[in-house]
């Protein structure tokens, strides 16, 4: 009786470790991939020197070298900074970035917590990430950090609305808030995936996701040429590493959510009975990887938006399109329920 | 005894006491903190603990909505405004007049609540049994049924009233200023390269390089 409960707690902890540990390794190699891919796109080499045991290995040990460097550096506190909040901010960023993974289904049944209101949980957790940014900006006692935090907070709150509306379209189409059910509603080949009937929402969701994670071309919160590095300008060492980890974990999160909501999650694009048409976790990873590549591609090719243009795009273009398309989806769902989501 | 200590009910009750203690402590901290940023942060903690209590009531949709709306949106804007202000941390002082009036109001409200709960609702209040729903009970469905089937008209009316309030608030703060140059984004977006620059085609010229063979 009591051992059952203890075992359940240990089993859940093991499952959490099985999600978080690979996630951290993926984050490490995402930073490596980012530098190599952008290097390739811009005709440079990227990091290709750091290897193991005297072999260069195309620089594959670079992320570990970076991690060790960041962990060994001193954490410097600015004068008159609020120490407690200064250290809490990166923890909040990281915790919210990891917490959202609890409800992400990697394959059929492969999910830590298969809760009814999974979509709302995801929205709630991703909306909390902004606190790390705001608190970091305020606790640093620095003008640049505060300006970056204000920019970032306004941007995240604005794009969250467009993001939420895009997901409303998904939940109307799937008829459920549960992520596994949403993927099940997209079974049956590439033409059943939601990105076709919800194309505007799909595009809006991913672009808002890029804006929400403060990535190029929406990275005014850390615009180097204007406010140095924005909200984390005063951070160094391990505290900075946590911000970094949180930002990249959020990127992977948005990519995997786009794969789940619009690209059929673990389903194969092919239909039929052959081996290639079987649903598999590999499809999920491939789709997530594709969106991560898009993130890097954006960063390599787009110049930074101006701040008022960002706000205009979010409020005056995305939100009206979202509302209009939700009407369309709802109408179709009522009068032709077999057109979307089986 | 040991059976009770390892039962789920016991942990649920423990969690209830834990979260309600945090909730009340944080609520007190909101009004007693002298730095308004801390007050706002404690208010966030309040919402969080309240959401956890709702979780214990198996109202997961409402709990998550509380976090999403109040913590994720409303409090962000609150913090935003507080950070823009010039915060002066008030030095410690004795009981001000505000405190005296506040205590009086709190006392009156406390008496009123005791009268109401103790006299009228004592039979209606749930005793100490925990909320338990059957397996597969969906809080989302329950909320949807009452909002969109039972109380459709009041709900729609409330949303229209809110919409009117939003539009009114925007109109109240909207003003056109003539004393600065604002660029119309439409014309910026629709600008073409040929409006701004002229591409000149010309043959490559041979330069005179100093000190070297070509």
């Amino acid at each position: 009786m009591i051992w059952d409960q203890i075992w359940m707690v240990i089993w859940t902890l093991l499952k959490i470790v099985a999600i978080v540990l690979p996630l951290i390794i993926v984050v490490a190699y995402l930073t490596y991939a980012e530098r190599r891919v952008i290097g390739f796109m811009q005709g440079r080499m990227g990091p290709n020197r750091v290897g193991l045991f005297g072999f260069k290995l195309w620089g594959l040990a670079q992320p570990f070298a970076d991690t060790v460097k960041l962990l060994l550096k001193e954490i410097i506190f600015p004068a008159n900074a609020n120490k407690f909040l200064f250290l809490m901010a990166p923890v909040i960023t990281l915790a919210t970035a990891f917490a959202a993974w609890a409800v992400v289904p990697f394959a059929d049944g492969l999910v830590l917590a298969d809760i009814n209101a999974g979509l709302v949980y995801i929205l709630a957790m991703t909306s909390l990430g902004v606190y790390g940014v705001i608190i970091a900006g305020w606790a640093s006692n620095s003008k640049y950090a505060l300006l970056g935090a204000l920019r970032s907070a306004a941007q995240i709150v604005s794009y969250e609305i467009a993001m939420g509306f895009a997901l409303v379209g998904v939940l109307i189409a799937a008829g459920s808030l549960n992520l596994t059910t949403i993927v099940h509603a997209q079974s049956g080949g590439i033409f059943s995936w939601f990105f076709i009937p919800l194309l505007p929402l799909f595009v809006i969701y991913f672009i808002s996701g890029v804006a929400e994670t403060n990535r190029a071309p929406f990275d005014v919160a850390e615009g180097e040429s204007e406010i140095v590095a924005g909200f984390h300008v005063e951070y160094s060492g391990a505290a900075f590493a946590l911000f970094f980890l949180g930002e990249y974990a959020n990127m992977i999160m948005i990519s995997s959510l786009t794969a789940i909501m619009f690209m059929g999650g673990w389903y194969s694009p092919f239909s039929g009975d052959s081996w290639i048409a079987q649903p598999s976790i590999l499809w999920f990873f491939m789709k997530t990887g594709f969106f991560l590549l898009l993130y890097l591609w954006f960063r390599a090719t787009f110049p930074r938006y101006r701040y008022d243009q960002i706000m205009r795009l979010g409020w005056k273009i995305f939100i009206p399109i979202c509302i209009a398309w939700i009407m369309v989806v709802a109408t179709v769902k009522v009068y032709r329920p077999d057109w979307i989501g089986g | 005894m040991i059976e009770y200590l390892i039962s789920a009910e016991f942990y649920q009750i423990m969690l209830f006491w834990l979260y309600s203690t945090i909730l009340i402590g944080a609520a007190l901290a909101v009004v007693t903190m002298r730095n308004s940023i801390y007050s706002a942060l404690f208010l966030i903690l309040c919402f969080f603990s309240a959401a956890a209590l709702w979780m214990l009531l198996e109202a997961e949709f409402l709990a998550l909505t509380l976090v999403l709306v109040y913590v994720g949106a409303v409090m962000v804007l609150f913090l935003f405004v507080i950070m823009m202000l010039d915060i002066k941390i008030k030095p410690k002082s004795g009981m001000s007049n505000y405190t005296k009036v506040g205590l009086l109001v709190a006392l009156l409200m406390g008496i009123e609540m005791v009268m109401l709960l103790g006299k009228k609702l004592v039979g209606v209040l749930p005793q100490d049994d925990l909320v338990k729903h059957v397996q597969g009970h969906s809080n989302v469905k329950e909320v949807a049924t009452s909002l969109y089937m039972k109380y459709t008209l009041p709900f729609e009316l409330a949303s229209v009233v809110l919409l009117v309030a939003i539009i009114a608030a925007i109109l109240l703060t909207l003003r056109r200023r003539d004393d600065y140059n604002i660029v119309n984004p439409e014309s910026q977006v629709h600008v073409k390269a040929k409006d701004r620059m002229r591409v000149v085609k010309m043959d490559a010229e041979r330069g005179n390089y100093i000190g070297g063979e070509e």
Side-chain angles (χ1 to χ4, degrees):
Chain A
M1 172 69 187
I2 188 160
W3 292 111
D4 284 355
Q5 284 167 355
I6 292 174
W7 174 240
M8 200 195 78
V9 170
I10 294 175
W11 183 232
T12 313
L13 285 176
L14 284 178
K15 282 197 260 187
I16 293 172
V17 171
I19 292 177
V20 168
L21 210 61
L23 187 64
I24 292 176
I25 293 172
V26 171
V27 165
Y29 275 97
L30 184 58
T31 61
Y32 170 76
E34 173 171 37
R35 295 165 72 185
R36 292 291 290 203
V37 167
I38 295 180
F40 167 76
M41 286 175 178
Q42 296 172 345
R44 298 183 281 111
M45 292 304 280
N48 62 352
R49 295 280 141 177
V50 185
L52 289 171
F53 312 117
F55 298 101
K56 277 186 192 163
L57 296 173
W58 314 281
L60 273 175
Q62 180 74 40
F64 297 107
D66 286 340
T67 314
V68 171
K69 180 199 75 174
L70 278 174
L71 291 182
L72 291 180
K73 270 179 148 182
E74 184 191 357
I75 300 178
I76 299 166
F77 295 96
N80 293 328
N82 186 317
K83 260 195 186 171
F84 176 71
L85 289 180
F86 188 77
L87 286 179
M88 275 305 282
V91 177
I92 293 174
T93 309
L94 194 66
T96 54
F98 280 169
W101 283 92
V103 296
V104 172
F106 297 94
D108 209 350
L110 199 63
V111 48
L112 180 60
D114 195 16
I115 62 174
N116 271 337
L119 198 70
V120 188
Y121 175 82
I122 294 259
L123 277 177
M125 284 303 132
T126 47
S127 71
L128 292 183
V130 64
Y131 281 108
V133 173
I134 296 186
I135 292 173
W138 184 78
S140 297
N141 191 29
S142 152
K143 288 188 191 69
Y144 293 128
L146 187 62
L147 282 174
L150 291 178
R151 279 184 178 192
S152 169
Q155 181 182 328
I156 291 178
V157 170
S158 313
Y159 276 89
E160 225 167 61
I161 301 172
M163 233 169 141
F165 269 128
L167 292 185
V168 168
V170 173
L171 78 92
I172 291 175
S176 173
L177 283 170
N178 180 294
L179 294 184
T180 309
T181 319
I182 288 175
V183 178
H184 281 161
Q186 305 176 59
S187 62
I190 192 167
F191 297 108
S192 315
W193 296 355
F194 283 158
F195 80 99
I196 296 174
L198 306 179
L199 188 64
L201 299 184
F202 165 61
V203 173
I204 287 172
Y205 181 80
F206 190 64
I207 296 177
S208 304
V210 176
E212 178 106 347
T213 43
N214 278 327
R215 293 285 300 181
F218 300 99
D219 57 344
V220 288
E222 41 194 284
E224 293 87 350
S225 51
E226 302 145 29
I227 49 173
V228 200
F231 63 92
H232 58 56
V233 64
E234 304 290 347
Y235 281 85
S236 60
F240 174 74
L242 291 189
F243 270 124
F244 212 70
L245 202 57
E247 179 181 328
Y248 281 77
N250 273 332
M251 276 166 65
I252 304 171
M253 181 83 215
I254 296 286
S255 303
S256 61
L257 282 181
T258 318
I260 287 170
M261 308 283 180
F262 297 98
M263 302 295 275
W266 55 82
Y267 281 119
S268 160
F270 307 101
S271 49
D273 289 326
S274 58
W275 62 272
I276 204 168
Q278 297 307 316
S280 154
I281 191 171
L282 292 177
W283 288 115
F284 174 72
F285 287 152
M286 264 191 262
K287 290 164 188 172
T288 308
F290 170 72
F291 287 113
L292 283 173
L293 180 70
L294 278 188
Y295 260 103
L296 308 184
W297 200 349
F298 286 169
R299 178 154 178 215
T301 45
F302 286 134
R304 185 176 293 141
Y305 260 96
R306 218 175 54 200
Y307 194 72
D308 60 320
Q309 289 172 338
I310 290 183
M311 285 301 168
R312 180 174 175 272
L313 184 71
W315 286 100
K316 293 190 176 171
I317 300 176
F318 280 177
I319 294 177
I321 294 179
C322 272
I323 293 174
W325 205 257
I326 285 171
M327 292 296 172
V328 173
V329 174
T331 315
V332 170
K333 195 74 187 170
V334 169
Y335 290 100
R336 289 277 185 277
D338 50 324
W339 283 8
I340 312 174
Chain B
M1 188 60 197
I2 193 84
E3 279 294 306
Y4 179 67
L5 280 182
I6 58 167
S7 65
E9 284 79 20
F10 177 71
Y11 282 105
Q12 232 166 323
I13 289 166
M14 281 293 116
L15 282 177
F16 171 77
W17 286 111
L18 178 72
Y19 285 123
S20 15
T21 316
I22 295 176
L23 175 60
I24 292 173
L28 279 176
V30 172
V31 287
T32 51
M33 278 287 151
R34 275 171 295 130
N35 186 336
S36 43
I37 294 270
Y38 284 139
S39 292
L41 291 176
F42 272 113
L43 193 54
I44 294 168
L45 184 59
C46 271
F47 286 132
F48 238 102
S49 319
L53 286 180
W54 288 8
M55 265 313 177
L56 283 180
L57 290 172
E58 301 196 354
E60 78 274 2
F61 180 74
L62 288 180
L64 288 171
T65 316
L66 182 73
V67 173
L68 177 63
V69 175
Y70 279 91
V71 182
V74 174
M75 286 313 294
V76 172
L77 297 179
F78 245 81
L79 267 183
F80 203 87
V81 172
I82 294 174
M83 281 177 184
M84 301 269 235
L85 300 175
D86 183 21
I87 305 166
K88 292 197 180 60
I89 297 170
K90 271 190 109 177
K92 221 177 210 152
S93 62
M95 226 183 249
S96 68
N97 279 338
Y98 294 118
T99 323
K100 284 173 194 157
V101 174
L103 280 179
L104 189 70
V105 172
L107 189 73
L108 280 176
M109 277 173 77
I111 291 173
E112 282 173 359
M113 272 164 104
V114 168
M115 277 163 66
L116 187 72
L117 295 180
K119 198 98 176 107
K120 290 275 177 198
L121 292 176
V122 76
V124 192
L125 283 178
Q127 299 306 312
D128 54 358
D129 50 347
L130 298 159
V131 176
K132 264 200 223 105
H133 295 300
V134 286
Q135 187 96 40
H137 170 89
S138 169
N139 179 238
V140 183
K141 246 179 206 147
E142 201 178 312
V143 171
T145 323
S146 34
L147 274 190
Y148 295 107
M149 303 185 81
K150 220 167 164 188
Y151 303 108
T152 315
L153 221 54
F155 178 67
E156 297 290 328
L157 263 179
S159 57
V160 170
V161 170
L162 268 178
L163 182 67
V164 171
I166 292 171
I167 295 171
I170 293 173
L171 269 183
L172 277 178
T173 51
L174 188 74
R175 58 191 173 127
R176 289 251 172 267
R177 282 179 60 177
D178 301 323
D179 55 340
Y180 70 93
N181 296 322
I182 190 162
V183 187
N184 182 14
E186 296 294 329
S187 57
Q188 283 180 314
V189 170
H190 290 115
V191 96
K192 294 278 180 302
K194 67 176 190 327
D195 304 335
R196 294 280 170 90
M197 64 177 195
R198 189 165 55 96
V199 179
V200 182
K201 283 247 186 324
M202 60 182 286
D203 297 328
E205 289 184 19
R206 292 173 73 85
N208 293 323
Y209 292 101
I210 301 165
E213 299 275 311
E214 272 183 46

